[in-house]
Amino acid sequence: MNTTKVGKRYAQSLLQLAVETGVLEAVKQDVELLSSTCAQSKDLVIALNSPVIKSDKKLNVLKAITQGKISVLTDKFLALVVNKGRANKLVDILKAFEVLYFEHKNIVKAQIKSVNGVSAEVKNQIISVVQAALHKEVIVEEVFDKELIGGFVL
């Protein structure tokens, strides 16, 4: 997953602060909420990336969307990012946070591409093999690809 240096630095700061204050899981949920919101709303991403829209308006939009749904730490972090003129890097920061979170928790994501999906037995075997090889917890994401002739791609 490609992220910018700026995105990674801000994400590292957020992760470190979340760990120190004991709210890592809450911040992870906040990041998931923000990521899904950005993925669903291209207009929001365009607004955050726009140099024409002032920072205070960007912050007001984010606060309206997230009010009562995110932790105080994440709320303050969003304000910092926007006030520093980095709202255009928010999506990168969210992606980088997810990568760093998985590293911190010793988790690896595995993606299985197949035509029709794989059976639970095959999926469990794949998880076992990957866990044994990497000594990490495995989260499996299944992707369906009709262009595959057969089998699966890990």
Side-chain angles (χ1 to χ4, degrees), residues 25-139:
E25 296 307 317
V27 170
K28 171 65 171 136
Q29 289 177 348
D30 298 344
V31 167
E32 288 173 350
L33 172 70
L34 289 165
S35 293
S36 67
T37 302
C38 288
Q40 293 171 3
S41 176
K42 298 299 177 196
D43 290 337
L44 174 61
V45 175
I46 290 168
L48 292 172
N49 290 334
S50 175
V52 177
I53 300 173
K54 297 197 183 299
S55 293
D56 60 332
K57 290 191 180 190
K58 292 177 184 181
L59 187 56
N60 288 339
V61 168
L62 285 171
K63 284 192 180 290
I65 292 170
T66 61
Q67 190 171 20
K69 297 178 185 172
I70 61 173
S71 67
V72 174
L73 176 62
T74 307
D75 189 48
K76 288 181 179 179
F77 180 77
L78 283 176
L80 173 77
V81 168
V82 173
N83 290 332
K84 292 286 186 181
R86 300 294 192 179
N88 62 332
K89 300 294 183 191
L90 184 60
V91 173
D92 283 340
I93 294 168
L94 298 173
K95 288 178 184 176
F97 181 88
E98 183 179 316
V99 170
L100 293 171
Y101 174 85
F102 285 143
E103 286 176 10
H104 177 77
K105 290 290 197 172
N106 205 27
I107 299 171
V108 66
K109 277 179 110 173
Q111 185 181 71
I112 301 173
K113 283 186 184 180
S114 64
V115 177
N116 299 348
V118 295
S119 68
E121 182 181 334
V122 171
K123 189 175 178 180
N124 289 335
Q125 286 178 337
I126 291 170
I127 290 171
S128 297
V129 169
V130 174
Q131 281 178 334
L134 301 178
H135 305 291
K136 293 184 176 190
E137 183 181 337
V138 179
I139 294 176

